[in-house]
Amino acid sequence: MGICVGVVRGNLRESRDQASEAAIVERCRRQDFEAFGQLVDAYQNRVFGFVRRMVPNAEEAADTTQEVFIRAFQNFERFDGRCSVRTWLFRIAYHLCVDKARKNVRAPQEIALYDPADGEVVDVADSRWQPEQIAIDDELMEVVEQGIASMSEKLRSVLLLHDREDMAYEEIAQTLSLPVGTVKSRLFLARAHLQDVVSRYLEAGA
Amino acid sequence: MWYLVTWRREHKMKSSEFSKFEQLDDQLNTPSQLQVSQFVKAMPEDTLSMAWRSSLNEKLIEASNQKRRKQKLAWILRPAMGLGLAFALAIFVVFQPMGSHTVMPDRGLEAAILTDHHNSVLQNEVSTAGLNANEVVSEANPEEPEDGIWNDADVQGL
């Protein structure tokens, strides 16, 4: 009985959130500044977190984040509600970042791994990899950030959207206009790359 | 199991593709993969300054004003352009050149005969017999009485 009540409440909370977001979206379509301000409050840090890891420097990331919201504001009447506002905002952010990356001609180092879709199993087991013993500290976070920066935008975008933004595979596929299978394989490769980077850090530390 | 079979049929996947799909799902849920996802999740949240927000607000106001100006301009320009187009079309239709470049054959004699006949008909309607220059004298009354007095034969001839 307690579980049922919990589920019902959870559903009510979700439906309330969806209803309030729908109301905000409707007001944004009518160029309501206050409503759009609420949307910015809800998503500015998350969009910035994504953009900051997709473009070279923080200043450019801040400008790009502003551009995301300006474009969203200018084109809100075209938002048809087929996807969520979050998907739509991150889609704008992704495309802006890709455009900027093409202009900057950035060439990250990519570590080639076998594509598991080809049937070969990627063996990334490492004797030093003992997950329960790795402490998450500032230095490790720095290593993780460097690892993310060193992978291609294709892998980075999927990793950030799934592991940081908790987007489902289908939502990521919609955001990036990819098949779900491609999203999963890119996520696997991104995590494997990051695991390799962290392993080397641990090895150097040991 | 039944659900998986149905899903596979719906998506028309080959058996090899489907097994790769399943394999990928399993691989994504290994402890090492999940641990890496925890590292990514543990990265500190990024925050933006109030200055950034103020700058964004200014740009949004400017974008909104620009949009309103464009809408006002479109509201004025569209009917004006429509009227201009209609006016130009009307001018073209009204002042379209009428003459054709074909050369008419010389019908001077024909035209003269027709004009003469037309004129004589008109004169007949107005003045009846007696005053036309082209009038043909009828044989039924070859001579008119000199004194101008009409006799019975003249009246019956009418």
Side-chain angles (χ1 to χ4, degrees):
Chain A
M1 186 63 185
I3 293 169
C4 288
V5 169
V7 166
V8 167
R9 279 184 186 162
N11 284 344
L12 275 176
R13 197 177 302 123
E14 274 177 27
S15 60
R16 264 190 227 135
D17 289 342
Q18 284 173 3
S20 65
E21 187 169 282
I24 289 173
V25 164
E26 196 48 46
R27 286 167 62 195
C28 287
R29 280 210 188 96
R30 288 182 256 125
Q31 306 280 291
D32 185 333
F33 266 119
E34 195 189 328
F36 192 76
Q38 290 179 32
L39 216 62
V40 173
D41 288 338
Y43 289 105
Q44 67 177 41
N45 291 338
R46 293 164 66 180
V47 171
F48 179 61
F50 175 76
V51 171
R52 194 174 78 70
R53 289 167 181 92
M54 295 289 290
V55 296
N57 61 65
E59 196 181 322
E60 200 175 335
D63 291 341
T64 305
T65 309
Q66 278 190 346
E67 214 174 312
V68 169
F69 287 107
I70 290 168
R71 284 209 187 181
F73 182 74
Q74 286 174 330
N75 296 299
F76 222 105
E77 46 208 26
R78 288 188 212 169
F79 175 66
D80 52 13
R82 278 188 292 179
C83 61
S84 66
V85 174
R86 178 174 75 162
T87 303
W88 187 58
L89 286 174
F90 277 98
R91 188 186 295 159
I92 296 172
Y94 174 72
H95 287 297
L96 279 174
C97 292
V98 165
D99 290 342
K100 286 203 186 295
R102 279 178 195 154
K103 284 176 190 170
N104 293 335
V105 192
R106 194 175 163 190
Q109 283 184 344
E110 230 177 301
I111 297 174
L113 293 171
Y114 292 113
D115 187 347
D118 292 336
E120 297 187 50
V121 177
V122 179
D123 183 14
V124 289
D126 192 315
S127 59
R128 294 170 298 274
W129 189 262
Q130 294 169 354
E132 61 278 4
Q133 293 177 12
I134 298 173
I136 299 176
D137 56 12
D138 292 343
E139 210 174 308
L140 179 64
M141 285 296 102
E142 189 58 40
V143 170
V144 168
E145 293 270 11
Q146 285 169 9
I148 290 173
S150 66
M151 61 178 79
S152 72
E153 67 190 38
K154 291 179 184 177
L155 302 185
R156 206 182 316 140
S157 53
V158 172
L159 181 74
L160 292 170
L161 290 175
H162 186 274
D163 290 345
R164 196 155 165 77
E165 297 300 324
D166 291 326
M167 273 193 191
Y169 297 128
E170 291 75 18
E171 197 178 351
I172 297 172
Q174 211 177 12
T175 304
L176 305 180
S177 305
L178 294 171
V180 171
T182 306
V183 169
K184 288 183 180 181
S185 59
R186 286 187 185 179
L187 179 63
F188 176 84
L189 291 172
R191 284 176 178 173
H193 169 76
L194 206 51
Q195 189 182 347
D196 190 55
V197 168
V198 172
S199 299
R200 289 182 195 180
Y201 160 74
L202 294 172
E203 185 183 349
Chain B
M1 192 61 192
W2 167 84
Y3 169 76
L4 290 173
V5 169
T6 310
W7 185 88
R8 189 182 132 195
R9 270 194 212 140
E10 284 171 3
H11 288 79
K12 294 180 185 173
M13 285 176 97
K14 295 178 190 173
S15 57
S16 57
E17 285 175 349
F18 188 68
S19 62
K20 283 177 194 171
F21 212 76
E22 275 185 316
Q23 200 181 17
L24 202 49
D25 279 333
D26 292 338
Q27 286 171 343
L28 282 167
N29 289 320
T30 55
S32 54
Q33 285 270 315
L34 292 174
Q35 180 65 48
V36 170
S37 80
Q38 292 301 316
F39 291 157
V40 176
K41 210 179 281 293
M43 287 193 299
E45 192 183 323
D46 306 279
T47 52
L48 288 157
S49 63
M50 289 303 293
W52 178 91
R53 188 57 194 271
S54 304
S55 166
L56 175 66
N57 287 343
E58 283 172 22
K59 288 180 184 176
L60 288 173
I61 290 169
E62 178 54 37
S64 173
N65 290 340
Q66 231 175 27
K67 195 168 182 177
R68 251 185 244 131
R69 277 196 293 268
K70 276 184 192 170
Q71 279 173 346
K72 271 184 193 168
L73 206 61
W75 194 79
I76 294 167
L77 278 180
R78 272 187 207 146
M81 279 169 66
L83 280 172
L85 197 65
F87 186 66
L89 206 62
I91 296 276
F92 177 73
V93 166
V94 168
F95 293 105
Q96 202 174 18
M98 300 286 283
S100 65
H101 294 288
T102 57
V103 175
M104 295 295 289
D106 186 14
R107 295 191 176 181
L109 181 63
E110 206 176 301
I113 291 170
L114 280 171
T115 309
D116 210 40
H117 170 72
H118 183 66
N119 288 339
S120 69
V121 165
L122 279 175
Q123 284 173 4
N124 254 337
E125 283 174 0
V126 171
S127 61
T128 66
L131 293 178
N132 287 335
N134 301 327
E135 191 175 313
V136 174
V137 177
S138 171
E139 289 182 2
N141 297 310
E143 290 176 3
E144 284 182 19
E146 289 181 1
D147 56 1
I149 298 170
W150 292 75
N151 55 24
D152 289 336
D154 293 331
V155 170
Q156 282 170 11
L158 286 172

